[in-house]
Amino acid sequence: MDARRLARTTRLVSLIGVGGVTCLVLVPVAINAVTGGSAPRVLGPYTPWLWPALGVLVALTACLAAWEPLGALLVRRRPAHPANRKAALERVDRFVRARIGGSLAEQVRLKLGVVPRVRPRLPTRVRRPLVVAGEPGAGKTTLLLELAEALLARAAQDPGRPVPVLVDLGGWRRDDDFGEWLLRVLADRYRIGPRLGRAWLRDRNLVLLFDGLDDLASADRVECLAWITALDMPQVVLCSAGDDHEHLPRYDVVRVEPLGRAEVLELIDACGPRLDGLREALEKDPGLWDEVRTPLAFGLLALAYRAGRAEYRGVLDTYLVESVARGPARAERTVRALRFLARVARREHHLEAWATLPARHVWLGFVGPDAVWRLFRRAVPGAVAGAAAALCFVVGVRLGLVPAAVGAVAVIGLPRGGFTATRGDKRRGKRWAATGFAVGAVVTGAVAVLGAWVGGQVARWPAAVVFGLVVVVTLVLAHATLRDRYWAVACALVPSGVMVVSGTGPELPVGLGIGLAAGAVAGTFVGGLTAVWSGLRRRPAHRLPWLPVAGLVGVGSAALAGAEARPSALGAALGAVTGLLLGLAVTPVVNRPFDAVANLLARPLAWDEFPWGRKGILQSARDRVLLVDEHRFPHGWVRDHLAECDPAEVAAAVERRRAGLGATGLRPSGGRATGGRRTRGRPGASDPTAPDPTASDRAASGPGASAPGASDLTASDPTASDPTA
């Protein structure tokens, strides 16, 4: 045990001992003495020392408890302290190891026992900016991670060497100051504080390993490289698939070599019979060599052909269809969710597949017209109708049928939206309308009951206080809404005149409370929906002429519940209407949760793309290497392909593939391997959802080609089925 660990253990034991004595012995004795009791007999001679001892031990306990956080704070404030460097190296090492363990190359190694070797190795002494150039999927990120491991090992042995940090440029935005953004990344990912990060950048104690430049737009790449040049850091390594690095004033270039035929054949031979289908496809069509020239393309095809002689459709199509075909039964649902996540990730310029929905502005543009129709033409009108019915029901039961009837006519002034959208499935639309009606009725009814209770409490106050309170509340709300003192006074005169005519009976504050609460909820709801609709960039058409009918339903329900008609209930009726209108009017000014409400109300629009069972879909995709490292896409190439695919067509191809599998789903059931539609050149350039042109293409590959236990693309123990793992 080193000295630091021994000191920490000693402090912990002392804290437990001193804190235990203080809390379990001295504090109870002191409380007993203060309340008139006596100290235990064994402590009798030491009673005069009770309070001094308690103060000393409390102070000692506080010091021992604050030692660690205060020490860490002081260490962070000293950039040259060795503890900062050691902690940073440990965090970078954990991040790099996690990134390597979750990479596609590691998945290929686990499942097949081999992995393509990326050439050449990067130099560990970086004296000026180094650019790693190569086509997408060539292995640039793999080389960068290997370099990070080597630099970490050297930095751990030599305190004079800089600390390597891996930074993904895809998260940078053009409007961000690059230096401040880089400091935020270092703080979030490695907990290197801004003060420490500035000092290390100034003293050149960092090696910046930049990845993800290709995720930026072309103009953004040029500006990003200008920012990197402005840092004036010689120890920079940058991955790039294009020629953007030529904008750097000085740099060295290491080009990543593609895979040769001999290397591919050696890898296939090392995997034994499990990749015979890939060998046969290559031998049958030599043009396929152009698509297996990168480690990424080989890895994707190897994972697909590992399960049996897959029907070739192109690198990404084969990989996608073979993975989904051995997954859950609902292929289209899986592909649709992955497409949604891929679109979000592409828009945000990263590879993360969100496990939860982000803010609506990120994904709202991907929503289909059917979901818009169900929400805005079925659920929303249903919710407004349910709210009107519940409001009139509560008013009728609490105040009588006359105020309820007045409310049924007054709800025609509610801000409602009959939003225009393409018609969708009528059966699903009816379910959404019924659900919206139920939710609107329950929420509005509960809020109206609460408002009635609050109004009932106010009604118990003296009449003069109630009169003044109603006038002041009306005046303040009207002025906050209209921003005009004269109109505010005019609005305040309305309830004042009502109270002068009808008196300040208990019905008026109750009606005012019901209307104000229901109006505030309705205004917030409609404001959130309007924010969602504006994000869809479509114009709402205001209608719902049948809304008073819903109010009359509420009145009829109140009559069936035993409500009475009271002709003298003028104050209650005007109180409810006034409160409703004030609640609707003041909501945009006083209560501004529209952004949060809009995010909540927009979620149903994403259920078609990202359904309730998203956790199972993500886990299945990860098991079948459609996602890696928790929830990341294996590569930007895979992400972009998923973002552009057609779920219906991919699902049809999956079903055809499943028809060619055996009853157990473990091996193909028919004919020879055939080449489906493909395009030559860059991997993945084929139509992502191309149907098979011939009946023979729909048949599965040759009989008995799959190795026992080697047919499922899941993340199970590789040694259980792979003899080479």
Side-chain angles (χ1 to χ4, degrees):
M1 182 180 294
D2 57 10
R4 291 182 60 194
R5 185 172 298 180
L6 178 61
R8 186 176 182 181
T9 304
T10 303
R11 287 195 301 270
L12 181 61
V13 173
S14 302
L15 177 61
I16 294 174
V18 175
V21 171
T22 304
C23 297
L24 301 179
V25 179
L26 294 184
V27 172
V29 171
I31 293 175
N32 190 34
V34 169
T35 55
S38 59
R41 183 176 301 176
V42 67
L43 297 178
Y46 306 103
T47 302
W49 296 93
L50 174 62
W51 293 105
L54 181 61
V56 171
L57 290 180
V58 168
L60 183 59
T61 302
C63 291
L64 290 173
W67 187 284
E68 291 289 337
L70 289 178
L73 180 62
L74 292 175
V75 166
R76 287 196 298 269
R77 290 183 175 276
R78 296 168 54 191
H81 198 284
N84 286 320
R85 174 185 172 84
K86 182 179 179 181
L89 287 173
E90 291 176 353
R91 296 182 191 116
V92 176
D93 183 68
R94 284 198 300 269
F95 177 82
V96 171
R97 290 183 183 276
R99 182 64 65 87
I100 292 175
S103 64
L104 180 68
E106 183 65 14
Q107 294 296 322
V108 173
R109 187 190 68 80
L110 289 174
K111 295 179 181 301
L112 300 177
V114 297
V115 64
R117 187 173 67 87
V118 183
R119 300 172 301 166
R121 300 299 184 201
L122 300 181
T124 56
R125 290 187 176 272
V126 183
R127 302 188 181 278
R128 63 178 182 175
L130 177 66
V131 177
V132 185
E135 60 185 287
K140 301 184 295 296
T141 302
T142 300
L143 290 180
L144 201 65
L145 292 172
E146 292 176 354
L147 176 62
E149 279 192 313
L151 294 177
L152 283 169
R154 291 174 178 266
Q157 296 175 358
D158 185 359
R161 288 185 175 272
V163 177
V165 290
L166 188 67
V167 179
D168 296 319
L169 293 175
W172 177 72
R173 299 293 179 270
R174 194 170 186 175
D175 296 335
D176 295 338
D177 181 274
F178 188 83
E180 297 299 325
W181 172 83
L182 179 60
L183 293 175
R184 288 199 302 270
V185 171
L186 296 178
D188 295 340
R189 180 173 290 182
Y190 307 114
R191 287 192 287 173
I192 300 175
R195 184 169 179 266
L196 180 61
R198 287 191 183 92
W200 282 1
L201 286 172
R202 182 180 62 250
D203 299 336
R204 298 184 175 181
N205 286 332
L206 291 175
V207 180
L208 301 175
L209 308 177
F210 289 120
D211 194 14
L213 178 66
D214 302 326
D215 285 335
L216 299 177
S218 179
D220 293 347
R221 293 178 207 162
V222 176
E223 186 167 348
C224 181
L225 291 174
W227 278 106
I228 293 175
T229 303
L231 290 177
D232 194 23
M233 291 283 293
Q235 297 160 322
V236 171
V237 182
L238 177 70
C239 291
S240 175
D243 297 329
D244 302 286
H245 58 271
E246 295 179 355
H247 294 278
L248 293 172
R250 57 189 185 281
Y251 58 89
D252 294 329
V253 179
V254 173
R255 296 201 174 273
V256 183
E257 300 294 334
L259 294 178
R261 294 195 179 191
E263 292 178 279
V264 174
L265 291 176
E266 289 176 2
L267 292 170
I268 293 175
D269 291 337
C271 294
R274 287 168 294 179
L275 293 185
D276 286 348
L278 180 56
R279 175 185 283 276
E280 291 181 6
L282 291 171
E283 291 175 351
K284 184 176 179 180
D285 188 356
L288 298 182
W289 287 106
D290 294 337
E291 299 195 36
V292 198
R293 54 185 288 114
T294 64
L296 176 64
F298 175 82
L300 296 178
L301 277 180
L303 290 175
Y305 277 89
R306 174 184 180 270
R309 293 182 178 177
E311 179 184 348
Y312 184 75
R313 298 175 173 83
V315 174
L316 290 175
D317 292 328
T318 303
Y319 161 71
L320 178 59
V321 171
E322 291 299 315
S323 298
V324 177
R326 289 162 177 81
R330 300 183 63 179
E332 184 174 354
R333 184 184 184 192
T334 300
V335 177
R336 189 176 294 276
L338 291 175
R339 184 185 67 168
F340 175 80
L341 295 175
R343 289 179 171 182
V344 172
R346 185 172 61 176
R347 172 171 288 183
E348 293 297 294
H349 304 291
H350 56 58
L351 295 177
E352 300 296 328
W354 291 73
T356 57
L357 277 175
R360 71 185 186 281
H361 65 83
V362 177
W363 55 266
L364 203 56
F366 307 141
V367 172
D370 187 60
V372 176
W373 177 81
R374 290 197 306 269
L375 180 64
F376 287 97
R377 292 298 301 274
R378 290 297 178 264
V380 169
V384 176
L391 175 63
C392 294
F393 176 78
V394 173
V395 171
V397 171
R398 190 67 174 81
L399 302 175
L401 295 180
V402 173
V406 174
V409 177
V411 294
I412 196 172
L414 286 175
R416 58 205 177 274
F419 300 94
T420 57
T422 305
R423 183 179 297 277
D425 187 351
K426 292 184 178 181
R427 291 181 300 174
R428 297 186 66 183
K430 292 179 181 179
R431 292 196 296 267
W432 278 69
T435 303
F437 185 90
V439 172
V442 170
V443 173
T444 306
V447 171
V449 170
L450 179 61
W453 179 82
V454 174
Q457 300 301 313
V458 174
R460 299 179 180 180
W461 298 353
V465 176
V466 174
F467 186 94
L469 180 64
V470 171
V471 173
V472 169
V473 169
T474 307
L475 181 64
V476 171
L477 295 181
H479 184 268
T481 304
L482 303 174
R483 300 296 183 184
D484 188 285
R485 67 183 66 180
Y486 300 105
W487 281 107
V489 172
C491 292
L493 290 177
V494 175
S496 303
V498 172
M499 287 185 290
V500 169
V501 174
S502 63
T504 56
E507 292 84 1
L508 189 141
V510 171
L512 189 63
I514 295 174
L516 190 60
V521 170
T524 303
F525 175 73
V526 175
L529 286 175
T530 303
V532 175
W533 190 259
S534 63
L536 292 170
R537 297 180 181 178
R538 302 180 189 179
R539 179 176 297 177
H542 294 285
R543 47 180 179 251
L544 294 182
W546 46 264
L547 189 59
V549 177
L552 294 178
V553 171
V555 176
S557 302
L560 294 176
E564 299 179 355
R566 306 173 193 169
S568 61
L570 177 61
L574 291 181
V577 172
T578 303
L580 180 64
L581 296 179
L582 285 175
L584 291 171
V586 79
T587 300
V589 179
V590 177
N591 192 11
R592 296 179 180 270
F594 288 166
D595 193 60
V597 172
N599 284 329
L600 180 63
L601 296 177
R603 288 179 179 271
L605 290 171
W607 286 346
D608 279 353
E609 306 292 335
F610 204 38
W612 283 104
R614 63 191 63 166
K615 185 176 181 180
I617 292 176
L618 293 175
Q619 183 61 42
S620 175
R622 186 181 173 215
D623 290 343
R624 286 153 184 85
V625 205
L626 290 165
L627 298 175
V628 296
D629 190 19
E630 293 299 331
H631 300 303
R632 294 180 73 252
F633 291 99
H635 194 272
W637 182 35
V638 178
R639 176 201 65 194
D640 295 343
H641 178 80
L642 284 168
E644 297 298 333
C645 71
D646 187 329
E649 294 186 7
V650 174
V654 168
E655 294 304 323
R656 290 194 297 268
R657 179 58 181 151
R658 283 175 176 168
L661 297 175
T664 61
L666 294 179
R667 64 180 64 216
S669 60
R672 293 180 53 83
T674 59
R677 287 185 59 181
R678 65 174 182 83
T679 57
R680 309 215 177 157
R682 183 171 181 255
S686 60
D687 184 0
T689 56
D692 302 334
T694 64
S696 60
D697 289 340
R698 290 190 295 270
S701 304
S706 61
S711 57
D712 191 11
L713 287 169
T714 60
S716 58
D717 183 8
T719 60
S721 58
D722 296 350
T724 59

